Amino acid sequence: MIQDFITIIQDYWLLLLIGQYPNGPLGGLANTLILSALAIALAFPVSILMALARLSKWWFLRWPMTALVYVTRGVPLLMLILWCYFVIPLWTGADVPSFLIMLVTLVIYQGAFLSEVVRAGIVSLGQGQMDAARALGHGYMGAMRFVILPQALYNMIPSMISTFVSTIKDTTLGYVINVPDLTFAASQVNNQLLTQPFQVFLILAVVYYILCWSLTYVANSVERRIARRRAGPRNARLPAEAAPLKTITEQL
Amino acid sequence: MSTSVSEPQAATAIRIADVCKNYGDYQVLKNINAEVARGEVVVICGPSGSGKSTLIRTVNRLEEINGGGISFEGQDIHAPMRASELNKLRSRIGFVFQSFNLFPHLSVVENVSMSPIRVKGVSPATAHDKALKLLDRVGLADKANSYPGQLSGGQQQRVAIARALAMEPPVMLFDEPTSALDPEMVGEVLSVMKSLAAEGMTMLCVTHEMGFARDVADRIWFIDAGEILETAPPEEFFKNPRHPRAQRFLADLRH
Ligand SMILES: Nc1ncnc2c1ncn2[C@@H]1O[C@H](COP(=O)(O)OP(=O)(O)OP(=O)(O)O)[C@@H](O)[C@H]1O
Ligand SMILES: [Mg+2]
């Protein structure tokens, strides 16, 4: 049994790592990592813009963004992927690579979820912080940048981590539109071996687990470092600040 | 006396002319007319819900008004203007909140120096030095690198005053600066305010501290149900208030 795993890894490690590259497109774990990293890196700023649009006093920003967030959150990710897969080429008239379609879909989807987290973080700070910043002469954007967002985003770290982890997991759905990622490579391996699906997909699961776990680990230690810098434990306000954190994590 | 709110002139710091404000059908401020002279200390008092906070927040336009105008150093602060212009005006009006509203993610010295750097474009080194001087002045030089959550309420409010002073405003507004404090901390905040008044700062303070009003104020505005019913120097106001509701308010305070 152990021997099976070793043999599979020995025979197919390169395919699992980089797919068909350099004879075909880059795939495998490398592509999964690139897709996840890009999706997270883009979904993060997009979610802040979406949250700001939803909190905007201008209806022409607020209404369409609210509609987009509601629709996106109410539709299974798979539907959104298939929809983008068929509609984006129609609109653009171009042959858009499936990787790009998957990336766009993930950014919109995770951006919508994350924007709710960011919005909750901003709203839960209350009016006092904004008032204080405005009274000192900061403009709306300055107040957001220097006063509101640093606090809101910090409070949101746990929720953001879980969104990022689910982004990594969601990249697997790229399989249905033939994004050459790790899942795709694993199923290629499975198709060649035919007799060892349990072993192949267990290897796949272990790799995803390690990925998600290490992201959580890194993010947690970043959070701890910030908390230490702000002298958390002796901080009398901490219980009050910790409470909303927990609720929002639970909502996810 | 002219009620025009936008004439440049020297003696008046704040002129409130015919200000009306409502929340829906409910009228919070009814035709308020009042002036604060330069260097004057005015205490606003009145029962809870009478509109004191609303009035003081209209002075730096944290609240909009529905009628009238408010001039600050001759400029109508409620006139239509660009956001950047309003921000500039606001930065010249210090505001101290009942609930301190320090920025918890910044250290004490950063709380004080951030706005001069970001709003006025002062160099970080200069702003930092200035912040340390202000903290020294409010008696908190040793707390410069602490975070707000590590300070007592009285200390936080003194930092908030230093933060407002860092913008070098010619006018300071206070909305019940000591109401959220434990009794033993009220004194330290009031003494900072007293020293400010002694240096000639123009101040408009909402407070229930009648001792402070008696000692420091040049004039008292008594406000009830959205109207200023009486403005008088403190001796006069406390000795023989003219309006029956002011009499009742003072009688209630003594109990
Ligand atoms: N955002 C709001 N919407 C509706 N009504 C409001 C709002 N803010 C204040 N009010 C009402 O306006 C009235 C005046 O409120 P304000 O806060 O100015 O009173 P105050 O004199 O400062 O009272 P306190 O001494 O309790 O601070 C109150 O009756 C209050 O309920
Ligand atoms: Mg009030």
Side-chain angles (χ1 to χ4, degrees), chain B residues 23 26 28 47-55 98 176 208:
Chain B
Y23 288 117
Y26 179 63
V28 197
S48 180
S50 54
K52 306 180 297 290
S53 296
T54 309
L55 175 61
Q98 179 174 357
E176 302 203 31
H208 293 298

Side-chain angles (χ1 to χ4, degrees), chain A residues 14-15 20 22-23 39 44 59 65 69 148 159 174 179 191 206 228 251:
Chain A
L14 197 61
L15 179 68
Q20 306 284 350
N23 304 317
F44 181 60
W59 63 267
M65 196 51 74
V69 169
I148 307 295
S159 317
V179 176
N191 289 343
V206 167
R228 251 204 313 277
Q251 280 166 5

Side-chain angles (χ1 to χ4, degrees), chain B residues 32-248:
Chain B
I32 304 273
N33 281 288
E35 281 187 22
V36 182
R38 210 166 269 201
E40 194 179 23
V41 176
V42 170
V43 162
I44 305 177
C45 66
S48 180
S50 54
K52 306 180 297 290
S53 296
T54 309
L55 175 61
I56 203 169
R57 286 166 61 88
T58 60
V59 173
N60 70 346
R61 205 169 163 179
L62 283 178
E63 298 284 353
E64 297 291 338
I65 56 180
N66 301 100
I70 298 176
S71 78
F72 163 66
E73 299 199 318
Q75 269 180 289
D76 186 354
I77 200 158
H78 282 272
M81 66 177 95
R82 297 194 349 196
S84 58
E85 215 175 320
L86 176 59
N87 295 337
K88 205 159 173 188
L89 272 175
R90 271 207 189 110
S91 73
R92 297 175 25 76
I93 304 176
F95 199 107
V96 176
F97 297 85
Q98 179 174 357
S99 50
F100 330 135
N101 294 344
L102 291 182
F103 306 135
H105 61 302
L106 300 177
S107 70
V108 163
V109 66
E110 287 167 342
N111 262 277
V112 180
S113 63
M114 194 250 296
S115 301
I117 297 170
R118 300 298 184 187
V119 175
K120 286 171 100 181
V122 176
S123 82
T126 314
H128 187 86
D129 288 351
K130 176 92 188 298
L132 291 180
K133 285 204 190 89
L134 284 167
L135 287 173
D136 191 39
R137 177 168 166 192
V138 299
L140 290 170
D142 55 327
K143 297 289 182 190
N145 295 311
S146 303
Y147 281 81
Q150 298 168 300
L151 304 184
S152 73
Q155 291 171 328
Q156 290 194 48
Q157 193 61 295
R158 284 186 280 156
V159 174
I161 294 174
R163 178 177 72 174
L165 290 174
M167 298 301 284
E168 302 180 321
V171 169
M172 289 281 285
L173 311 177
F174 296 82
D175 186 7
E176 302 203 31
T178 58
S179 299
L181 299 177
D182 294 335
E184 70 269 23
M185 294 170 187
V186 170
E188 64 193 58
V189 171
L190 289 181
S191 81
V192 169
M193 291 171 64
K194 274 182 197 167
S195 78
L196 265 181
E199 287 164 34
M201 175 64 81
T202 310
M203 293 162 62
L204 184 55
C205 319
V206 176
T207 180
H208 293 298
E209 294 296 330
M210 289 304 137
F212 174 83
R214 203 186 300 261
D215 297 347
V216 183
D218 297 307
R219 259 187 317 152
I220 305 221
W221 299 354
F222 174 73
I223 177 170
D224 190 16
E227 289 176 286
I228 294 188
L229 298 179
E230 188 158 349
T231 75
E235 318 82 71
E236 204 177 309
F237 179 74
F238 288 112
K239 221 180 274 156
N240 47 31
R242 264 165 298 160
H243 200 283
R245 275 188 274 175
Q247 290 164 4
R248 191 164 352 117

